[in-house]
Amino acid sequence: MDQVHYRTARTRAQDALIQARRMDNASWKCCDMTFDKAPGIYRHMATQHADIIEDHTEQELDLIRSKKSRPAAEDSIQRGDEFKGRRAEKYGSDPISLHCSCDPALGTVILFYAYLPINNPLALAHLHKAWSLDLNLCGKVKVATEGINATLAGASEAIRQYLDLLTVQPEFTPLQLARPAKSLSVEETTIFDKKRYDFFKPTSGCGHVFGGVISIKVVDEICPLGAPELSVYHDPSNKPGKLPPRDFHNKLKELEGREDVVVLDVRNYYESHLGHFPGAVMPPIRKFSSFRDYVDKNKEQLSGKTILSYCTGGIRCEKATSYLRKSLESEANGKETEVLMLEGGIHNYLEWIKHEGKPKDSLWLGRNYIFDARQSLGLEDPSQASQGAIISFCQQCQVPSARYVKCSGFGCHRLIVACADCSPTPAKPAGDSGICCCNDCLEMGNQLRNYSQLEPAEQASIPRVKRGICACERKRRAELGVE
């Protein structure tokens, strides 16, 4: 019996045992303890009842061996249904504020991606589910045939174990990030540790930065540009087009002010609002899949130029630069279009500034937005960096602030910069910031909230209520050139 069948049987056994402990009020009870979130009961079962899970796993294996397992359940597992669907509940979204008393120095958050062929994404997803339970990891993982995109948090030792488990998998051996079996010299150890550090981009933090939960998905693209046919690792210009932080920094200084140069921020508008490089073009896109439309509408402004692109950790630039090369190759009117990217993204640029460069010489303005409850990172000692000041302002009172809250409009997840005085209660996962992005949003949200609270029979008797487009969104679309 191979490992895939074993993991299938273990997952099925564990899910059945946990379902048996479910209460009517969407909580679970075991060992005289009540768990109101699924990760809690999963961790409890994995740590306190491993023997029971193993016994039931053997029973499930017997069913698989004898081919007596339910066809519908088998089909569901083979399709990977548990690795599809939304992370958050309907009308909900990921948490953007941190509510815990953990010492961040005891934990590690990693952010990494790899474009490389994955033969069996579903098997890798099952592995990540098992690892997350065994090591108590939280975060987000996307797996596709084109690679992996992940950001995970846990105890520092657990993260170290995860890295050792991942890097010995056959698909990941070409990265040469597995810990060598032989002893390394001091110099070799330093080189190896730096290579791992640059790739996995560790920072301090606990699992609460992801709300204490994990999301594992099997997807078509690990970074959804809407072009799964675009192969990054078959782009011959991909590797030569990557500039390490030092080279990107020098290139920005060398080409500053030239009309044939475009510094292009490929992130979303709410990210670039908190921080960006000087003179950057910042498309008002709300999601990365809109980047293609932006490029198609602005070929004339981009073709024949030297394009210096950047994003948070590099993954979006991988796809963006490949798409730019493909789209602009016949649009340059005799002028060569050179497309470059910041290797390792803003994160590695700031790390280079901290450890090898000089903070006072940093070209980065503001904060680097990240997709967890910490919201943003930056040069943590602004007194050493003339460019370290906050560049965004509270929507209400206009004082400098890099603190995001969610719009209180029901069903609206727009991020609003608000200082602690104007929105004193941090935006909890289901909380209320007390601020709306605009009056349109407030009115539409109230109508949608009232409709969603009706019984199904009542909803069926009246016209369906949907969210419209608020004034803020209309303005953004107009700037993007989309009606």
Side-chain angles (χ1 to χ4, degrees):
M1 189 65 63
D2 61 26
Q3 285 297 308
V4 173
H5 281 138
Y6 175 81
R7 289 195 296 271
T8 297
R10 191 178 189 278
T11 298
R12 194 183 298 174
Q14 186 168 249
D15 288 349
L17 287 166
I18 288 172
Q19 182 62 31
R21 287 157 174 77
R22 189 177 181 92
M23 310 287 285
D24 291 338
N25 60 351
S27 60
W28 295 263
K29 191 168 185 178
C30 186
C31 299
D32 293 327
M33 293 187 291
T34 300
F35 303 86
D36 58 2
K37 290 186 178 181
I41 183 66
Y42 270 91
R43 285 193 291 270
H44 173 77
M45 292 297 296
T47 57
Q48 302 300 318
H49 301 297
D51 54 340
I52 299 176
I53 293 175
E54 197 59 35
D55 289 341
H56 280 72
T57 298
E58 285 299 320
Q59 295 174 22
E60 290 291 346
L61 278 172
D62 289 338
L63 289 173
I64 292 175
R65 292 187 186 103
S66 61
K67 298 183 180 180
K68 290 181 180 180
S69 59
R70 298 182 298 278
E74 187 70 45
D75 289 345
S76 175
I77 292 173
Q78 290 177 354
R79 291 194 307 268
D81 289 352
E82 64 180 310
F83 302 117
K84 299 176 183 178
R86 299 172 56 93
R87 281 198 309 270
E89 297 179 0
K90 191 174 181 181
Y91 305 125
S93 62
D94 293 337
I96 63 164
S97 56
L98 194 56
H99 304 274
C100 76
S101 56
C102 301
D103 181 354
L106 301 179
T108 301
V109 182
I110 54 174
L111 167 71
F112 73 95
Y113 71 90
Y115 278 105
L116 75 180
I118 303 293
N119 295 325
N120 191 338
L122 184 57
L124 186 59
H126 277 294
L127 268 180
H128 274 82
K129 181 177 180 180
W131 291 338
S132 69
L133 290 169
D134 293 342
L135 300 174
N136 194 20
L137 303 178
C138 303
K140 308 170 192 175
V141 180
K142 290 182 179 179
V143 186
T145 55
E146 68 174 6
I148 183 172
N149 177 16
T151 176
L152 292 166
S156 295
E157 175 60 21
I159 291 293
R160 188 195 67 77
Q161 292 181 43
Y162 166 77
L163 299 187
D164 289 343
L165 289 167
L166 178 72
T167 52
V168 297
Q169 298 303 310
E171 292 95 338
F172 295 88
T173 51
L175 299 176
Q176 298 182 326
L177 293 168
R179 195 174 298 280
K182 64 168 187 168
S183 298
L184 300 177
S185 67
V186 174
E187 183 180 358
E188 288 172 332
T189 299
T190 300
I191 293 172
F192 173 77
D193 288 345
K194 186 178 187 307
K195 186 176 181 180
R196 262 199 174 189
Y197 186 92
D198 289 345
F199 185 84
F200 290 106
K201 307 177 187 69
T203 53
S204 298
C206 67
H208 293 106
V209 302
F210 297 110
V213 299
I214 189 164
S215 166
I216 304 169
K217 286 187 176 184
V218 175
V219 294
D220 293 329
E221 294 178 276
I222 56 174
C223 189
L225 178 64
E229 73 286 352
L230 198 63
S231 175
V232 169
Y233 40 80
H234 290 146
D235 179 355
S237 299
N238 176 265
K239 190 171 182 179
K242 294 181 178 180
L243 297 179
R246 181 190 299 274
D247 295 345
F248 189 85
H249 176 89
N250 292 336
K251 201 81 167 175
L252 283 176
K253 293 178 67 175
E254 174 194 341
L255 302 179
E256 182 181 6
R258 284 178 42 171
E259 293 185 0
D260 60 344
V261 175
V262 175
V263 181
L264 184 60
D265 192 324
V266 306
R267 301 173 302 155
N268 301 319
Y269 73 91
Y270 53 85
E271 298 174 75
S272 57
H273 186 64
L274 294 189
H276 53 80
F277 283 107
V281 174
M282 298 173 283
I285 58 175
R286 186 174 59 85
K287 53 186 179 180
F288 185 53
S289 56
S290 299
F291 182 76
R292 289 193 311 164
D293 292 336
Y294 172 81
V295 172
D296 294 344
K297 289 177 181 293
N298 292 276
K299 286 183 178 181
E300 187 176 337
Q301 288 77 22
L302 297 170
S303 62
K305 306 283 181 69
T306 294
I307 300 174
L308 298 169
S309 66
Y310 66 90
C311 63
T312 307
I315 185 170
R316 281 176 283 187
C317 279
E318 298 267 11
K319 270 286 178 81
T321 53
S322 289
Y323 187 75
L324 284 164
R325 293 186 190 103
K326 178 183 176 182
S327 301
L328 302 178
E329 60 184 357
S330 60
E331 301 287 336
N333 299 320
K335 297 180 181 178
E336 181 181 357
T337 303
E338 184 180 22
V339 183
L340 305 170
M341 65 170 277
L342 171 57
E343 186 174 24
I346 303 159
H347 180 280
N348 279 9
Y349 178 84
L350 295 179
E351 289 298 303
W352 170 73
I353 286 291
K354 292 175 189 175
H355 301 298
E356 298 179 43
K358 296 179 180 178
K360 66 181 180 62
D361 294 331
S362 173
L363 298 177
W364 178 253
L365 303 170
R367 305 275 297 177
N368 180 26
Y369 181 89
I370 54 176
F371 289 89
D372 64 50
R374 295 172 297 172
Q375 295 196 12
S376 66
L377 299 172
L379 293 170
E380 301 304 335
D381 187 359
S383 64
Q384 297 183 26
S386 60
Q387 308 287 20
I390 291 172
I391 63 169
S392 46
F393 300 89
C394 173
Q395 176 177 290
Q396 298 291 92
C397 69
Q398 299 303 305
V399 301
S401 175
R403 176 179 178 266
Y404 267 135
V405 298
K406 291 180 184 177
C407 172
S408 287
F410 186 74
C412 177
H413 310 303
R414 189 181 182 92
L415 296 177
I416 304 169
V417 176
C419 68
D421 289 335
C422 293
S423 180
T425 303
K428 298 178 181 179
D432 188 345
S433 66
I435 299 176
C436 276
C437 59
C438 63
N439 288 332
D440 280 2
C441 192
L442 176 62
E443 293 174 5
M444 289 188 296
N446 288 339
Q447 293 174 7
L448 184 59
R449 179 187 287 107
N450 293 338
Y451 176 80
S452 68
Q453 292 173 348
L454 296 175
E455 294 295 328
E458 293 179 282
Q459 290 182 352
S461 66
I462 60 175
R464 183 180 177 185
V465 176
K466 297 182 180 180
R467 276 194 63 89
I469 301 174
C470 73
C472 298
E473 179 63 8
R474 288 197 299 271
K475 179 182 178 182
R476 185 193 68 83
R477 293 188 181 193
E479 292 173 353
L480 189 58
V482 177
E483 296 299 330

